[in-house]
Amino acid sequence: MPASISSSALSVPGSRIRELAEIAMGMDGVLKLYFGEADIPTPAFIQQAAQKALSDGYTYYTENAGLPSLREELARYYSRLHGVELDPSSEIAVTASGVQALSLALRCLVDPGDEAFVLTPAWPNGASILRLAHAVVHEMPQVLRGDRYAVDFDALEAAVTPRTRVLLYTSPSNPLGWVATANDQDRLLEFARRHKLWLVADEVYERLFYAGSTVPSILCKATRDDAVIVVQSFSKAWCMTGWRLGWLVARKDFLSHAIPLNEFFVSCAASFVQKAAETALRDGEDWIRTLVARLKNNRDHALAALRRMPGVVVPEPDGAFYLFPRIEGAGDSFAFAKRLLMETKVGLAPGVAFGAGGEGNVRICYASQREVVEEAMIRMASFLMR
């Protein structure tokens, strides 16, 4: 019998976002609203900090948990932003991207055959990481109630079993822009405590919030004994997608086991990138305020334009930088997005890429230059009115 590929690898489909993007990358003049990143470069003060770190010799391995100085800066950041006091030596771990933080966390929580809940529609990486670990994934669609998405707690209660280990959710949500309220957080924590589950909160978009400076972290509600893990990244708020730097906040007992495993994933994040991140945390507040104001203007323009289009239903998002409109006649969202791309050169992400509850929608990343967003809305409106 010939050598074969593992069943876990074969069970995970490729990204439908990437599939659409690969088509777009072979075309000229595409308005690229399919990836989750802004089209502006990392701010100069962070670039300069990285250059200085290279000159200062930060080109070697660091601790598996990351530079102590960065972990200390992260602890100060949580104290300043959320009023949460963390021990940088035992409750924070630096990772080589947010997705690596998520991978490290989830791979430490499930064994083959264990079950996990993922609130969807959601960025597909969480469910795929769980499947690679041979876990059984239950995608639990958030429901649209009036003009706001909500967690279906009745569905969660009905689906929980003795093998359920994890509940993963994202706030602000990619792709919904939904933000967990204080009541949502209370109920998620109560559900996790009662069923003895790990609650994994993807808070990567916490600074991209339109009703305050930041989304209140689940850490503001959790005790030191709660089975809560927060996944974070420098990619979004500081426009550092290509730098690949993230972090985890979790209980000491969890991180005491997870941190040594970083050795077998990446050893450590790049040292000069970690030094630049310290500067981002210390000096980035003005940058974030400017970025959020720009994003809100783009959101408001795109939202108004979509609501004038025939057959489009779209709630107003509270955070992140996405709109997730449901479009009449787009039952096959990949076919719809591909046709839109080929005929108008507007590149969007198909809703089917985001799991249960996503089909029939498309995701629009409005973090591009304003003129790109405006032109994309004009072309999309023309396409839908044909």
Side-chain angles (χ1 to χ4, degrees), residues 257-277:
H257 293 285
I259 287 170
L261 297 183
N262 231 2
E263 175 66 26
F264 311 115
F265 283 89
V266 294
S267 293
C268 60
S271 56
F272 68 91
V273 173
Q274 293 187 53
K275 290 303 291 183

Side-chain angles (χ1 to χ4, degrees), residues 192-193 196-200 223-229 251:
R193 288 165 178 162
K196 297 180 172 57
L197 309 182
W198 284 94
L199 184 62
V200 180
T223 71
R224 276 324 212 301
D225 295 323
D226 278 319
V228 168
I229 299 172
R251 261 179 8 196

Side-chain angles (χ1 to χ4, degrees), residues 197-321:
L197 309 182
W198 284 94
L199 184 62
V200 180
D202 178 342
E203 297 186 349
V204 163
Y205 294 91
E206 71 165 357
R207 302 306 308 276
L208 308 185
F209 184 45
Y210 306 117
S213 64
T214 188
V215 174
S217 173
I218 192 68
L219 297 171
C220 299
K221 299 272 188 178
T223 71
R224 276 324 212 301
D225 295 323
D226 278 319
V228 168
I229 299 172
V230 166
V231 173
Q232 264 286 10
S233 172
F234 285 90
S235 288
K236 311 302 179 178
W238 294 277
C239 293
M240 295 173 67
T241 52
W243 296 63
R244 316 314 298 136
L245 192 66
W247 73 90
L248 286 172
V249 178
R251 261 179 8 196
K252 294 181 181 182
D253 62 323
F254 171 83
L255 283 183
S256 69
H257 293 285
I259 287 170
L261 297 183
N262 231 2
E263 175 66 26
F264 311 115
F265 283 89
V266 294
S267 293
C268 60
S271 56
F272 68 91
V273 173
Q274 293 187 53
K275 290 303 291 183
E278 294 174 23
T279 296
L281 292 167
R282 281 195 304 267
D283 302 337
E285 291 304 305
D286 287 345
W287 162 267
I288 291 173
R289 280 190 290 271
T290 300
L291 176 66
V292 171
R294 170 190 162 179
L295 292 173
K296 184 178 184 299
N297 285 335
N298 282 2
R299 181 203 67 169
D300 292 348
H301 174 81
L303 185 65
L306 286 166
R307 287 178 168 172
R308 291 192 294 268
M309 297 180 199
V312 174
V313 176
V314 55
E316 180 176 310
D318 297 317
F321 45 45

Side-chain angles (χ1 to χ4, degrees), residues 332-363:
D332 182 339
S333 58
F334 187 87
F336 173 86
K338 183 177 179 181
R339 185 175 158 223
L340 180 71
L341 172 66
M342 303 306 292
E343 295 186 20
T344 72
K345 293 190 176 181
V346 174
L348 308 179
V352 68
F354 301 93
E359 188 59 288
N361 296 61
V362 292
R363 189 192 72 177

Side-chain angles (χ1 to χ4, degrees), residues 110-123:
V110 295
D111 287 316
D114 285 343
E115 300 179 10
F117 292 147
V118 179
L119 298 192
T120 59
W123 180 54

Side-chain angles (χ1 to χ4, degrees), residues 31 33 306 309-310 312 325 327 336 340 344 346 348 362 364 374-386:
L31 304 179
L33 308 184
L306 286 166
M309 297 180 199
V312 174
I327 299 174
F336 173 86
L340 180 71
T344 72
V346 174
L348 308 179
V362 292
I364 301 169
E374 290 177 352
E375 179 61 24
M377 292 301 99
I378 291 169
R379 296 185 193 181
M380 190 171 172
S382 176
F383 178 84
L384 290 174
M385 287 187 234
R386 289 176 186 170

